[in-house]
Amino acid sequence: WVTFNSWNPDFRSGSLGFCFAEAVWGRGYATEAARALLAWAFDALDLNRVQAEADTRNIGSARVLEKLGFRREGTLREDCIVAGVVSDSWVYGLLRREWDHDPD
Ligand SMILES: CC(C)(COP(=O)(O)OP(=O)(O)OC[C@H]1O[C@@H](n2cnc3c(N)ncnc32)[C@H](O)[C@@H]1OP(=O)(O)O)[C@@H](O)C(=O)NCCC(=O)NCCS
């Protein structure tokens, strides 16, 4: 799935998230689906900023965001505790003026 959260029409901002089954990783699906959602966010919703977070252990997520043009802006320390395991998240941002509508 790819999802869009925290849409704030006054601030013209929102957040992107994604999760794909491990069996289909590495086929470009996350990048393709997130790119479609970003086009909708910037073109239809007229957003100025989209934010995303990725667990610092998830290199694939960070790579997807960087391929889409997101910039790493900082670290959310101890953002998640799952089954007692504490992890940090990177926070990424993509601005409308940085968004490449037609990467091809
Ligand atoms: C992150 C995730 C969505 C990737 O999905 P995907 O469909 O495989 O992504 P894509 O194929 O579009 O791109 C993955 C990129 O990461 C790279 N990558 C993946 N694992 C990597 C690793 N361990 N080291 C370096 N690069 C890695 C791939 O090579 C690819 O880059 P490339 O196109 O330059 O070769 C998937 O790992 C996932 O669902 N993870 C769990 C949930 C999650 O972390 N969600 C993010 C919250 S925002």
Side-chain angles (χ1 to χ4, degrees):
W1 49 262
V2 179
T3 188
F4 194 70
N5 301 307
S6 308
W7 175 33
N8 186 322
D10 295 326
F11 293 170
R12 294 175 57 208
S13 64
S15 295
L16 168 76
F18 44 75
C19 186
F20 284 76
E22 191 167 352
V24 299
W25 287 1
R27 300 183 191 176
Y29 293 156
T31 305
E32 181 180 345
R35 182 171 281 125
L37 191 141
L38 287 169
W40 176 69
F42 287 121
D43 295 339
L45 299 183
D46 194 29
L47 296 194
N48 180 58
R49 172 186 168 82
V50 176
Q51 183 165 311
E53 289 98 41
D55 190 306
T56 57
R57 298 166 300 179
N58 192 332
I59 306 298
S61 284
R63 177 74 188 129
V64 168
L65 294 170
E66 287 164 5
K67 282 196 293 184
L68 292 165
F70 279 82
R71 296 189 191 179
R72 191 186 300 173
E73 297 174 335
T75 305
L76 302 173
R77 297 177 303 150
E78 302 189 7
D79 189 37
C80 303
I81 304 177
V82 178
V85 178
V86 181
S87 63
D88 298 339
S89 296
W90 283 313
V91 59
Y92 282 84
L94 176 63
L95 304 183
R96 181 190 185 84
R97 62 181 174 273
E98 298 163 348
W99 162 243
D100 183 355
H101 283 74
D102 186 10
D104 300 325

